[in-house]
Amino acid sequence: MTSPSPSPSFPSTRLNTLVGLLAMSYLVVGLAGNFNQDFDITWGDGRAKILENGQLLTLSLDKTSGSGFRSKNQYLFGKIDMQLKLVPGNSAGTVTAYYLSSLGSAHDEIDFEFLGNLSGDPYILHTNVFTQGKGNREQQFYLWFDPTKDFHTYSILWNPQSIIFFVDGTPIREFKNLESNGIPFPKSQPMWIYSSLWNADDWATRGGLVKTDWSQAPFTASYRNFNAQACIWSSGSSSCSSNSSNNSWLTESLDTIGQARIKWVQQNYMIYNYCTDTKRFPEGLPPECSLA
């Protein structure tokens, strides 16, 4: 996957405002899942490990290989929370990906990708949405904390109305269902949850200018407290079909406070938005950019 990747430099911050924002932020609370029960390690030849009786999962990357895992279940709509602690130190060239995806050339996909950095520079949080095999909807952000020092919660709310990305309960991006305007929306393909840690030094850090320093390997990312309030898809039917009365997230949307938070984050921490990249789209920006 290629990506626009600006040169990292710390954004200007308004710390007092930030403290107030985060104090008001939604609390993401849920019963922690068990990685042994919820996920399969899919590749990495032993570099991925499930520890602490299923409460912790780690992925590692060295010069030979990265590693990854996939959920046992497929989901068709859900509110998915995962806590991650990213690769510390000089992680330039590495990408930690955490995403939902179906299969096939016309697949749907909802992406969090964390682009590694030189020591002292901020991580870049890269987001994207694919519908029917078409992506090119990248938005990138800096984070308002060091994501390598502790675990933070990264959430995806996916319901028939919209897809909303959250960081520690604060919304950072929304992709609305605009099918009435002819814009495809992911709603019919069940998706697995994936995560992987891999080498992408051909594009990830400063557009590929900074390469992976293998003397720092192995690189390790950690996961805990997975929680899915979601419709499990099995044998052609959804677990939400018969009883959705307890699934309030299926109709959840951003209220006025949420809309203010997302605007604040985008004004202060967004560093790339495909909807403003006129050079990339010389024949006109994608239609959702003027409708959302």
PDB file of all heavy atoms in Angstrom, residues 258-280:
ATOM      1  N   GLY A 258     -19.676  15.588  20.038  1.00  0.00           N
ATOM      2  CA  GLY A 258     -18.801  14.760  19.224  1.00  0.00           C
ATOM      3  C   GLY A 258     -18.368  15.451  17.947  1.00  0.00           C
ATOM      4  O   GLY A 258     -17.203  15.353  17.525  1.00  0.00           O
ATOM      5  N   GLN A 259     -19.284  16.177  17.333  1.00  0.00           N
ATOM      6  CA  GLN A 259     -18.945  16.912  16.123  1.00  0.00           C
ATOM      7  C   GLN A 259     -17.926  18.013  16.412  1.00  0.00           C
ATOM      8  O   GLN A 259     -17.023  18.268  15.609  1.00  0.00           O
ATOM      9  CB  GLN A 259     -20.220  17.490  15.512  1.00  0.00           C
ATOM     10  CG  GLN A 259     -21.136  16.430  14.939  1.00  0.00           C
ATOM     11  CD  GLN A 259     -22.524  16.968  14.605  1.00  0.00           C
ATOM     12  OE1 GLN A 259     -22.814  18.140  14.824  1.00  0.00           O
ATOM     13  NE2 GLN A 259     -23.383  16.108  14.080  1.00  0.00           N
ATOM     14  N   ALA A 260     -18.053  18.639  17.573  1.00  0.00           N
ATOM     15  CA  ALA A 260     -17.087  19.672  17.952  1.00  0.00           C
ATOM     16  C   ALA A 260     -15.718  19.061  18.215  1.00  0.00           C
ATOM     17  O   ALA A 260     -14.681  19.631  17.846  1.00  0.00           O
ATOM     18  CB  ALA A 260     -17.579  20.429  19.185  1.00  0.00           C
ATOM     19  N   ARG A 261     -15.692  17.895  18.839  1.00  0.00           N
ATOM     20  CA  ARG A 261     -14.415  17.229  19.118  1.00  0.00           C
ATOM     21  C   ARG A 261     -13.709  16.836  17.825  1.00  0.00           C
ATOM     22  O   ARG A 261     -12.498  17.023  17.685  1.00  0.00           O
ATOM     23  CB  ARG A 261     -14.661  15.986  19.973  1.00  0.00           C
ATOM     24  CG  ARG A 261     -15.050  16.298  21.415  1.00  0.00           C
ATOM     25  CD  ARG A 261     -15.216  14.994  22.187  1.00  0.00           C
ATOM     26  NE  ARG A 261     -15.648  15.255  23.546  1.00  0.00           N
ATOM     27  CZ  ARG A 261     -16.623  14.607  24.159  1.00  0.00           C
ATOM     28  NH1 ARG A 261     -17.294  13.671  23.517  1.00  0.00           N
ATOM     29  NH2 ARG A 261     -16.945  14.878  25.398  1.00  0.00           N
ATOM     30  N   ILE A 262     -14.469  16.260  16.897  1.00  0.00           N
ATOM     31  CA  ILE A 262     -13.838  15.803  15.658  1.00  0.00           C
ATOM     32  C   ILE A 262     -13.297  16.993  14.875  1.00  0.00           C
ATOM     33  O   ILE A 262     -12.211  16.923  14.284  1.00  0.00           O
ATOM     34  CB  ILE A 262     -14.837  14.959  14.825  1.00  0.00           C
ATOM     35  CG1 ILE A 262     -14.097  14.016  13.874  1.00  0.00           C
ATOM     36  CG2 ILE A 262     -15.818  15.798  14.034  1.00  0.00           C
ATOM     37  CD1 ILE A 262     -15.000  12.978  13.223  1.00  0.00           C
ATOM     38  N   LYS A 263     -14.006  18.105  14.900  1.00  0.00           N
ATOM     39  CA  LYS A 263     -13.541  19.311  14.223  1.00  0.00           C
ATOM     40  C   LYS A 263     -12.273  19.829  14.875  1.00  0.00           C
ATOM     41  O   LYS A 263     -11.314  20.228  14.194  1.00  0.00           O
ATOM     42  CB  LYS A 263     -14.640  20.375  14.256  1.00  0.00           C
ATOM     43  CG  LYS A 263     -14.276  21.660  13.517  1.00  0.00           C
ATOM     44  CD  LYS A 263     -15.437  22.649  13.547  1.00  0.00           C
ATOM     45  CE  LYS A 263     -15.084  23.937  12.805  1.00  0.00           C
ATOM     46  NZ  LYS A 263     -16.211  24.911  12.847  1.00  0.00           N
ATOM     47  N   TRP A 264     -12.237  19.797  16.209  1.00  0.00           N
ATOM     48  CA  TRP A 264     -11.059  20.276  16.934  1.00  0.00           C
ATOM     49  C   TRP A 264      -9.834  19.425  16.608  1.00  0.00           C
ATOM     50  O   TRP A 264      -8.747  19.951  16.329  1.00  0.00           O
ATOM     51  CB  TRP A 264     -11.344  20.265  18.433  1.00  0.00           C
ATOM     52  CG  TRP A 264     -10.263  20.919  19.239  1.00  0.00           C
ATOM     53  CD1 TRP A 264     -10.191  22.230  19.600  1.00  0.00           C
ATOM     54  CD2 TRP A 264      -9.075  20.297  19.757  1.00  0.00           C
ATOM     55  NE1 TRP A 264      -9.037  22.461  20.320  1.00  0.00           N
ATOM     56  CE2 TRP A 264      -8.342  21.298  20.417  1.00  0.00           C
ATOM     57  CE3 TRP A 264      -8.571  18.999  19.710  1.00  0.00           C
ATOM     58  CZ2 TRP A 264      -7.128  21.030  21.043  1.00  0.00           C
ATOM     59  CZ3 TRP A 264      -7.353  18.728  20.325  1.00  0.00           C
ATOM     60  CH2 TRP A 264      -6.648  19.741  20.991  1.00  0.00           C
ATOM     61  N   VAL A 265     -10.006  18.100  16.634  1.00  0.00           N
ATOM     62  CA  VAL A 265      -8.883  17.211  16.320  1.00  0.00           C
ATOM     63  C   VAL A 265      -8.396  17.463  14.902  1.00  0.00           C
ATOM     64  O   VAL A 265      -7.185  17.564  14.648  1.00  0.00           O
ATOM     65  CB  VAL A 265      -9.295  15.736  16.513  1.00  0.00           C
ATOM     66  CG1 VAL A 265      -8.221  14.808  15.952  1.00  0.00           C
ATOM     67  CG2 VAL A 265      -9.529  15.425  17.981  1.00  0.00           C
ATOM     68  N   GLN A 266      -9.321  17.580  13.954  1.00  0.00           N
ATOM     69  CA  GLN A 266      -8.907  17.747  12.571  1.00  0.00           C
ATOM     70  C   GLN A 266      -8.225  19.096  12.341  1.00  0.00           C
ATOM     71  O   GLN A 266      -7.294  19.194  11.548  1.00  0.00           O
ATOM     72  CB  GLN A 266     -10.112  17.553  11.651  1.00  0.00           C
ATOM     73  CG  GLN A 266     -10.617  16.112  11.683  1.00  0.00           C
ATOM     74  CD  GLN A 266     -11.624  15.784  10.604  1.00  0.00           C
ATOM     75  OE1 GLN A 266     -12.056  16.645   9.854  1.00  0.00           O
ATOM     76  NE2 GLN A 266     -12.013  14.515  10.519  1.00  0.00           N
ATOM     77  N   GLN A 267      -8.658  20.115  13.046  1.00  0.00           N
ATOM     78  CA  GLN A 267      -8.016  21.424  12.902  1.00  0.00           C
ATOM     79  C   GLN A 267      -6.607  21.441  13.486  1.00  0.00           C
ATOM     80  O   GLN A 267      -5.722  22.130  12.973  1.00  0.00           O
ATOM     81  CB  GLN A 267      -8.866  22.502  13.579  1.00  0.00           C
ATOM     82  CG  GLN A 267     -10.133  22.863  12.823  1.00  0.00           C
ATOM     83  CD  GLN A 267     -10.985  23.884  13.562  1.00  0.00           C
ATOM     84  OE1 GLN A 267     -10.863  24.064  14.779  1.00  0.00           O
ATOM     85  NE2 GLN A 267     -11.863  24.548  12.835  1.00  0.00           N
ATOM     86  N   ASN A 268      -6.378  20.677  14.545  1.00  0.00           N
ATOM     87  CA  ASN A 268      -5.114  20.744  15.264  1.00  0.00           C
ATOM     88  C   ASN A 268      -4.136  19.613  14.946  1.00  0.00           C
ATOM     89  O   ASN A 268      -2.919  19.800  15.106  1.00  0.00           O
ATOM     90  CB  ASN A 268      -5.379  20.762  16.769  1.00  0.00           C
ATOM     91  CG  ASN A 268      -5.949  22.086  17.232  1.00  0.00           C
ATOM     92  OD1 ASN A 268      -5.216  23.031  17.490  1.00  0.00           O
ATOM     93  ND2 ASN A 268      -7.266  22.170  17.323  1.00  0.00           N
ATOM     94  N   TYR A 269      -4.629  18.454  14.500  1.00  0.00           N
ATOM     95  CA  TYR A 269      -3.753  17.287  14.374  1.00  0.00           C
ATOM     96  C   TYR A 269      -3.796  16.601  13.022  1.00  0.00           C
ATOM     97  O   TYR A 269      -2.987  15.716  12.760  1.00  0.00           O
ATOM     98  CB  TYR A 269      -4.075  16.274  15.481  1.00  0.00           C
ATOM     99  CG  TYR A 269      -3.675  16.808  16.834  1.00  0.00           C
ATOM    100  CD1 TYR A 269      -4.601  17.415  17.670  1.00  0.00           C
ATOM    101  CD2 TYR A 269      -2.347  16.761  17.245  1.00  0.00           C
ATOM    102  CE1 TYR A 269      -4.224  17.947  18.888  1.00  0.00           C
ATOM    103  CE2 TYR A 269      -1.956  17.287  18.458  1.00  0.00           C
ATOM    104  CZ  TYR A 269      -2.900  17.877  19.279  1.00  0.00           C
ATOM    105  OH  TYR A 269      -2.522  18.413  20.480  1.00  0.00           O
ATOM    106  N   MET A 270      -4.730  16.958  12.146  1.00  0.00           N
ATOM    107  CA  MET A 270      -4.731  16.366  10.811  1.00  0.00           C
ATOM    108  C   MET A 270      -3.586  16.948   9.994  1.00  0.00           C
ATOM    109  O   MET A 270      -3.399  18.159   9.935  1.00  0.00           O
ATOM    110  CB  MET A 270      -6.064  16.612  10.108  1.00  0.00           C
ATOM    111  CG  MET A 270      -6.112  16.022   8.702  1.00  0.00           C
ATOM    112  SD  MET A 270      -7.661  16.409   7.837  1.00  0.00           S
ATOM    113  CE  MET A 270      -8.766  15.250   8.652  1.00  0.00           C
ATOM    114  N   ILE A 271      -2.813  16.067   9.338  1.00  0.00           N
ATOM    115  CA  ILE A 271      -1.680  16.522   8.533  1.00  0.00           C
ATOM    116  C   ILE A 271      -1.835  16.161   7.063  1.00  0.00           C
ATOM    117  O   ILE A 271      -1.073  16.623   6.221  1.00  0.00           O
ATOM    118  CB  ILE A 271      -0.347  15.964   9.081  1.00  0.00           C
ATOM    119  CG1 ILE A 271      -0.396  14.436   9.182  1.00  0.00           C
ATOM    120  CG2 ILE A 271      -0.018  16.607  10.410  1.00  0.00           C
ATOM    121  CD1 ILE A 271       0.931  13.812   9.560  1.00  0.00           C
ATOM    122  N   TYR A 272      -2.806  15.307   6.730  1.00  0.00           N
ATOM    123  CA  TYR A 272      -3.120  15.035   5.330  1.00  0.00           C
ATOM    124  C   TYR A 272      -4.593  14.689   5.213  1.00  0.00           C
ATOM    125  O   TYR A 272      -5.130  13.933   6.038  1.00  0.00           O
ATOM    126  CB  TYR A 272      -2.279  13.879   4.753  1.00  0.00           C
ATOM    127  CG  TYR A 272      -2.662  13.596   3.313  1.00  0.00           C
ATOM    128  CD1 TYR A 272      -2.134  14.363   2.272  1.00  0.00           C
ATOM    129  CD2 TYR A 272      -3.599  12.610   3.009  1.00  0.00           C
ATOM    130  CE1 TYR A 272      -2.523  14.145   0.956  1.00  0.00           C
ATOM    131  CE2 TYR A 272      -3.993  12.383   1.698  1.00  0.00           C
ATOM    132  CZ  TYR A 272      -3.452  13.157   0.672  1.00  0.00           C
ATOM    133  OH  TYR A 272      -3.848  12.950  -0.624  1.00  0.00           O
ATOM    134  N   ASN A 273      -5.240  15.253   4.183  1.00  0.00           N
ATOM    135  CA  ASN A 273      -6.653  14.976   3.929  1.00  0.00           C
ATOM    136  C   ASN A 273      -6.839  14.872   2.423  1.00  0.00           C
ATOM    137  O   ASN A 273      -6.624  15.844   1.694  1.00  0.00           O
ATOM    138  CB  ASN A 273      -7.531  16.091   4.505  1.00  0.00           C
ATOM    139  CG  ASN A 273      -9.011  15.829   4.300  1.00  0.00           C
ATOM    140  OD1 ASN A 273      -9.415  14.781   3.818  1.00  0.00           O
ATOM    141  ND2 ASN A 273      -9.829  16.795   4.673  1.00  0.00           N
ATOM    142  N   TYR A 274      -7.209  13.691   1.959  1.00  0.00           N
ATOM    143  CA  TYR A 274      -7.389  13.497   0.520  1.00  0.00           C
ATOM    144  C   TYR A 274      -8.406  14.471  -0.069  1.00  0.00           C
ATOM    145  O   TYR A 274      -8.341  14.800  -1.254  1.00  0.00           O
ATOM    146  CB  TYR A 274      -7.796  12.048   0.231  1.00  0.00           C
ATOM    147  CG  TYR A 274      -9.243  11.696   0.529  1.00  0.00           C
ATOM    148  CD1 TYR A 274     -10.152  11.495  -0.511  1.00  0.00           C
ATOM    149  CD2 TYR A 274      -9.699  11.549   1.830  1.00  0.00           C
ATOM    150  CE1 TYR A 274     -11.477  11.162  -0.250  1.00  0.00           C
ATOM    151  CE2 TYR A 274     -11.009  11.221   2.099  1.00  0.00           C
ATOM    152  CZ  TYR A 274     -11.898  11.029   1.054  1.00  0.00           C
ATOM    153  OH  TYR A 274     -13.213  10.700   1.313  1.00  0.00           O
ATOM    154  N   CYS A 275      -9.318  14.949   0.767  1.00  0.00           N
ATOM    155  CA  CYS A 275     -10.363  15.841   0.284  1.00  0.00           C
ATOM    156  C   CYS A 275      -9.876  17.269   0.029  1.00  0.00           C
ATOM    157  O   CYS A 275     -10.662  18.117  -0.405  1.00  0.00           O
ATOM    158  CB  CYS A 275     -11.533  15.860   1.268  1.00  0.00           C
ATOM    159  SG  CYS A 275     -12.673  14.471   1.052  1.00  0.00           S
ATOM    160  N   THR A 276      -8.603  17.540   0.323  1.00  0.00           N
ATOM    161  CA  THR A 276      -8.035  18.850  -0.002  1.00  0.00           C
ATOM    162  C   THR A 276      -6.877  18.745  -0.988  1.00  0.00           C
ATOM    163  O   THR A 276      -6.258  19.767  -1.313  1.00  0.00           O
ATOM    164  CB  THR A 276      -7.549  19.570   1.271  1.00  0.00           C
ATOM    165  OG1 THR A 276      -6.513  18.787   1.891  1.00  0.00           O
ATOM    166  CG2 THR A 276      -8.686  19.752   2.271  1.00  0.00           C
ATOM    167  N   ASP A 277      -6.595  17.538  -1.479  1.00  0.00           N
ATOM    168  CA  ASP A 277      -5.434  17.306  -2.333  1.00  0.00           C
ATOM    169  C   ASP A 277      -5.827  17.462  -3.803  1.00  0.00           C
ATOM    170  O   ASP A 277      -6.035  16.487  -4.532  1.00  0.00           O
ATOM    171  CB  ASP A 277      -4.869  15.912  -2.058  1.00  0.00           C
ATOM    172  CG  ASP A 277      -3.481  15.724  -2.650  1.00  0.00           C
ATOM    173  OD1 ASP A 277      -3.093  16.515  -3.534  1.00  0.00           O
ATOM    174  OD2 ASP A 277      -2.785  14.774  -2.232  1.00  0.00           O
ATOM    175  N   THR A 278      -5.911  18.714  -4.230  1.00  0.00           N
ATOM    176  CA  THR A 278      -6.342  18.977  -5.606  1.00  0.00           C
ATOM    177  C   THR A 278      -5.303  18.524  -6.632  1.00  0.00           C
ATOM    178  O   THR A 278      -5.664  18.195  -7.773  1.00  0.00           O
ATOM    179  CB  THR A 278      -6.633  20.474  -5.787  1.00  0.00           C
ATOM    180  OG1 THR A 278      -5.482  21.231  -5.380  1.00  0.00           O
ATOM    181  CG2 THR A 278      -7.827  20.896  -4.941  1.00  0.00           C
ATOM    182  N   LYS A 279      -4.030  18.492  -6.250  1.00  0.00           N
ATOM    183  CA  LYS A 279      -3.011  18.008  -7.184  1.00  0.00           C
ATOM    184  C   LYS A 279      -3.192  16.524  -7.471  1.00  0.00           C
ATOM    185  O   LYS A 279      -2.938  16.057  -8.580  1.00  0.00           O
ATOM    186  CB  LYS A 279      -1.618  18.273  -6.614  1.00  0.00           C
ATOM    187  CG  LYS A 279      -1.244  19.747  -6.564  1.00  0.00           C
ATOM    188  CD  LYS A 279       0.176  19.932  -6.056  1.00  0.00           C
ATOM    189  CE  LYS A 279       0.567  21.405  -6.029  1.00  0.00           C
ATOM    190  NZ  LYS A 279       1.953  21.593  -5.504  1.00  0.00           N
ATOM    191  N   ARG A 280      -3.620  15.799  -6.479  1.00  0.00           N
ATOM    192  CA  ARG A 280      -3.814  14.354  -6.640  1.00  0.00           C
ATOM    193  C   ARG A 280      -5.062  14.041  -7.455  1.00  0.00           C
ATOM    194  O   ARG A 280      -5.125  13.014  -8.130  1.00  0.00           O
ATOM    195  CB  ARG A 280      -3.910  13.716  -5.250  1.00  0.00           C
ATOM    196  CG  ARG A 280      -3.983  12.215  -5.253  1.00  0.00           C
ATOM    197  CD  ARG A 280      -4.055  11.723  -3.829  1.00  0.00           C
ATOM    198  NE  ARG A 280      -4.194  10.291  -3.743  1.00  0.00           N
ATOM    199  CZ  ARG A 280      -4.545   9.640  -2.642  1.00  0.00           C
ATOM    200  NH1 ARG A 280      -4.786  10.328  -1.531  1.00  0.00           N
ATOM    201  NH2 ARG A 280      -4.649   8.334  -2.630  1.00  0.00           N
TER     202      ARG A 280
END
